[in-house]
């Protein structure tokens, strides 16, 4: 009986953890990209060579919540352009 309960609990934990991991998924037409929170380790020097665009970089940024107009203005004032919204709080 304890073995069955343990197995059930393990299964529930795995299912819930897989759902929580998909909360950060960026969905495209043909695939989904799961990203890990990395703001604490962020460095402009870590951008790959193919992310360079003109005098800057091109990449994705994902927020925990949709950024307010004030936050979007802060980005603009910092010369960071949020080009287009992609579902799941990503630009």
């Amino acid at each position: 009986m304890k073995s069955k309960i343990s197995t059930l609990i393990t299964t529930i934990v795995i299912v819930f953890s897989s759902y929580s991991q998909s909360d950060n998924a960026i969905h495209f037409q043909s695939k989904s990209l799961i990203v890990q929170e990395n703001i604490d380790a962020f460095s402009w020097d870590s951008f790959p060579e193919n992310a360079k665009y003109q005098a800057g970089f091109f990449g994705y940024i994902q927020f925990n919540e949709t950024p307010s107009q004030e936050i979007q203005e802060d980005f603009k004032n910092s010369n960071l352009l949020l080009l287009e919204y992609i579902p799941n709080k990503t630009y």
Side-chain angles (χ1 to χ4, degrees):
M1 183 68 166
K2 285 185 180 182
S3 176
K4 288 182 180 182
I5 292 174
S6 178
T7 302
L8 178 62
I9 291 172
T10 302
T11 303
I12 290 171
V13 168
I14 290 170
V15 168
F16 280 115
S17 67
S18 68
Y19 279 116
S20 65
Q21 288 176 357
S22 66
D23 289 343
N24 293 337
I26 301 171
H27 302 286
F28 299 97
Q29 287 181 346
S30 61
K31 67 178 182 176
S32 293
L33 174 66
I34 297 178
V35 294
Q36 301 298 318
E37 186 174 321
N38 64 355
I39 191 65
D40 293 331
F42 176 79
S43 167
W44 288 108
D45 296 330
S46 68
F47 269 72
E49 190 66 30
N50 63 356
K52 291 184 179 179
Y53 180 75
Q54 295 179 356
F57 297 94
F58 182 82
Y60 299 106
I61 183 168
Q62 186 176 53
F63 297 90
N64 290 328
E65 56 187 42
T66 303
S68 66
Q69 189 63 42
E70 180 181 354
I71 290 173
Q72 292 180 45
E73 289 297 321
D74 287 344
F75 269 82
K76 185 177 180 181
N77 293 336
S78 298
N79 204 24
L80 298 169
L81 182 60
L82 300 175
L83 293 175
E84 186 175 331
Y85 179 79
I86 300 172
N88 210 0
K89 303 169 283 237
T90 305
Y91 287 82

